Each structure stands twice: as structure tokens, then as C-alpha cells.
């Protein structure tokens, strides 16, 4: 039988191609997303309720990324509860897990 290993190396535990797979490693992945949005500031209306806090004013009009993920996860959980495994070609269990453990570190508003 021909196995393409060097002579005597097919069962050599020291050979790199016979080494056990390395242990899993925990890594940190940082993802930065940016949304450009138009926030209409009308000083004679609602904006006065927020003072000069553009961040609060923005958050009153738009969801944050974490809020969007939470809403998506809520929909996924409902679809799974109804017995769906896939929706629009997406594995719902995997998507549900992907929605977990996201954190928002900072929201910047520039004017």
C-alpha cells in the first residue's frame, strides 16, 4: 500500500502531520460598525426635551446595534418556538447563538 508518507513516518507521533489538534484558544474579536443617519433637530419641538444631549435624542429615534440584535434574537426565538429550524435559508439555532454576548462599548455622536 502506498501512503505518501516518508518511510517509517506514517505512525510517528512526533511528525507534525500526526500531531493531535491543538487545544481551543479563546480570542477577543473587536468589530466596529458605523451608521450614518440623518437626525432632524428641530429646536422648537422634541429636541428641547433632551437639552443638548444628541445621543439621547438619536436613541429616541433609532435602535442601537445591541437593541437591533436583541430584536432579531426575539424573532428567532419565536420562529424556533413555532418549530422552524431554518428561515430564509438561515439556520435559526446558529443565528440565535450568534446574537448572544454582544456588548456596546461606546456610542459617538458628532455634529
Amino acid at each position: 500500500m502506498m501512503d505518501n508518507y516518508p518511510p517509517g513516518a506514517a505512525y510517528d507521533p512526533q511528525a507534525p502531520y500526526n500531531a493531535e489538534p491543538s487545544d481551543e484558544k479563546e480570542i477577543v474579536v473587536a468589530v466596529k460598525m458605523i451608521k450614518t443617519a440623518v437626525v432632524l433637530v428641530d429646536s422648537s419641538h422634541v429636541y428641547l426635551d433632551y437639552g443638548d444631549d444628541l445621543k439621547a435624542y438619536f436613541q429616541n429615534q433609532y435602535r442601537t446595534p445591541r437593541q437591533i440584535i436583541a430584536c432579531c434574537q426575539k424573532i428567532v426565538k419565536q420562529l424556533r418556538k413555532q418549530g422552524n429550524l431554518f428561515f430564509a435559508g438561515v439556520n435559526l439555532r446558529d443565528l440565535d447563538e450568534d446574537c448572544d454576548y454582544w456588548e456596546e462599548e461606546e456610542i459617538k455622536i458628532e455634529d
Side-chain angles (χ1 to χ4, degrees):
M1 179 172 123
M2 188 148 190
D3 58 14
N4 293 329
Y5 288 105
Y11 301 103
D12 179 4
Q14 301 299 321
Y17 39 80
N18 289 332
E20 291 292 320
S22 63
D23 293 335
E24 292 181 2
K25 293 182 181 180
E26 186 173 316
I27 61 171
V28 175
V29 176
V31 178
K32 181 178 182 177
M33 297 175 68
I34 296 174
K35 177 176 183 165
T36 302
V38 175
V39 178
L40 300 176
V41 178
D42 181 357
S43 61
S44 65
H45 273 96
V46 181
Y47 186 60
L48 291 176
D49 295 341
Y50 296 95
D52 288 332
D53 191 354
L54 284 175
K55 180 179 172 183
Y57 188 67
F58 169 81
Q59 289 177 316
N60 186 53
Q61 295 182 34
Y62 294 93
R63 289 181 178 95
T64 66
R66 184 66 202 126
Q67 290 169 326
I68 294 167
I69 291 169
C71 289
C72 290
Q73 191 169 35
K74 185 176 181 179
I75 292 168
V76 166
K77 288 184 183 303
Q78 183 62 40
L79 288 168
R80 291 183 69 198
K81 190 176 181 180
Q82 293 172 354
N84 294 289
L85 301 176
F86 290 85
F87 190 82
V90 176
N91 182 313
L92 295 176
R93 184 183 58 83
D94 291 347
L95 183 58
D96 191 15
E97 290 175 5
D98 289 342
C99 289
D100 285 333
Y101 307 113
W102 286 93
E103 298 176 23
E104 285 181 358
E105 290 189 2
E106 178 179 9
I107 296 176
K108 287 185 181 180
I109 307 288
E110 297 176 9
D111 60 349

